[in-house]
Amino acid sequence: MATFDLELVSPERLLLSRPVEMAVIPAYEGEMGVLPNHAPMIVALRGGVIRVTEGGQETEQLFIMGGFAEITPTRVTVLADEVTPVATLSRAAAAQRVTEAEAALAAAADETPEVRDRASDRLMAARAMQEAAQAA
């Protein structure tokens, strides 16, 4: 089967760089499957799980807290704010993040719309992390 190069980059380092058959990424508009020869685009990512398919099987699940993806017909580069393998997610840590994000959103009630939106995005990402941790 045809492949494309998938690169996953966090602020600290390059985490993944190899040919894959398919990647499902958590775009803001919804889950987005990427195959070789995909139309070029740049998409914003929300907190969620990237699923990687190689050899006809899902080989990896990586949780990201958000970021951007640049898609070309031969390459997908994901610039992620934070990356954690789903298998290593902690339910307790995810629950703590949800609690902190809820408090931050409540504290942002009188702030500008941009500040409230960022706080809301963090809460949605924390809730997605909690769901992924429970499913792992």
Side-chain angles (χ1 to χ4, degrees), residues 27-136:
Y28 261 96
E29 295 79 20
E31 296 289 310
M32 180 177 176
V34 181
L35 293 166
N37 300 313
H38 196 285
M41 62 180 63
I42 295 176
V43 295
L45 302 176
R46 60 181 165 73
V49 177
I50 293 177
R51 292 175 171 79
V52 178
T53 302
E54 299 169 284
Q57 297 194 27
E58 188 173 282
T59 58
E60 258 184 282
Q61 292 185 1
L62 302 159
F63 185 84
I64 63 167
M65 287 298 287
F68 293 90
E70 178 185 22
I71 301 167
T72 71
T74 60
R75 175 183 308 274
V76 173
T77 302
V78 174
L79 306 170
D81 299 334
E82 180 182 328
V83 182
T84 308
V86 170
T88 66
L89 289 176
S90 161
R91 290 180 183 180
Q96 179 63 32
R97 281 195 171 197
V98 169
T99 301
E100 291 168 359
E102 287 172 341
L105 182 59
D110 295 328
E111 297 291 334
T112 64
E114 293 81 12
V115 171
R116 288 193 308 268
D117 286 347
R118 281 194 302 272
S120 178
D121 287 348
R122 282 192 303 271
L123 177 56
M124 288 189 306
R127 286 182 177 158
M129 178 184 268
Q130 189 173 40
E131 288 176 25
Q134 290 173 351

